[in-house]
């Protein structure tokens, strides 16, 4: 089984965080060496921000990762999130319309 198959759906920031710990590199100084804002790298590592192509190429070069690896992870993470968001469909049939007399159920999305 390939490594990418094992870690599909994981945010690339988690991999960057693991690599920084493995190499014993300070996150802030690493971000500055990439000519990136430390807050940007921190948000990516926390999973609050998407990885962009330019930054991923810089990180991959510095950490000696395969080119395109982090962006591939980002795409798989986006797919996982999209599936999770589209999976929830509320069942309005279980609601009693008498209670919500002023609501048009056909207009609720």
């Amino acid at each position: 089984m390939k490594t990418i198959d094992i870690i599909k759906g994981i945010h690339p920031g988690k991999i960057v965080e693991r690599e920084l710990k493995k190499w014993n590199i300070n996150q802030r100084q690493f971000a500055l060496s990439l000519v990136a804002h430390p807050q940007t790298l921190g948000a990516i590592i926390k999973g609050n921000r998407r990885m962009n192509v330019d930054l991923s190429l810089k990180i991959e070069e510095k950490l000696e990762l395969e080119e395109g690896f982090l962006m591939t992870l980002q795409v798989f993470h986006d797919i996982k999130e999209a599936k999770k968001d589209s999976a929830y469909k509320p069942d309005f049939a279980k609601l009693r319309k008498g209670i919500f007399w002023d609501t048009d159920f056909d207009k609720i999305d």
Side-chain angles (χ1 to χ4, degrees):
M1 183 175 259
K2 294 182 182 179
T3 304
I4 195 74
D5 291 331
I6 296 169
I7 58 176
K8 273 184 184 176
I10 295 175
H11 193 277
K14 295 296 178 192
I15 302 300
V16 173
E17 181 181 33
R18 189 191 74 179
E19 290 295 315
L20 290 177
K21 283 182 183 176
K22 184 172 91 175
W23 290 61
N24 198 21
I25 300 173
N26 180 303
Q27 181 180 322
R28 178 175 171 72
Q29 295 193 352
F30 182 70
L32 294 174
S33 75
L34 298 172
V35 191
H37 292 285
Q39 294 88 349
T40 303
L41 185 61
I44 290 171
I45 287 174
K46 289 179 184 174
N48 297 334
R49 187 172 179 158
R50 294 184 78 247
M51 178 72 69
N52 64 47
V53 177
D54 293 333
L55 189 57
S56 72
L57 290 173
K58 291 176 185 178
I59 292 171
E60 290 163 351
E61 182 181 340
K62 292 273 187 182
L63 296 179
E64 299 175 3
L65 298 172
E66 184 180 346
E67 188 175 278
F69 178 70
L70 295 175
M71 286 309 299
T72 304
L73 282 179
Q74 183 64 57
V75 169
F76 282 124
H77 181 263
D78 292 346
I79 290 170
K80 177 183 167 190
E81 291 297 310
K83 284 182 178 179
K84 185 169 63 173
D85 290 343
S86 67
Y88 178 71
K89 301 280 188 218
D91 185 9
F92 293 120
K94 293 180 180 178
L95 298 176
R96 290 181 25 206
K97 293 187 180 187
I99 295 174
F100 301 100
W101 58 270
D102 59 340
T103 303
D104 186 2
F105 284 91
D106 295 328
K107 294 184 180 178
I108 297 176
D109 61 341

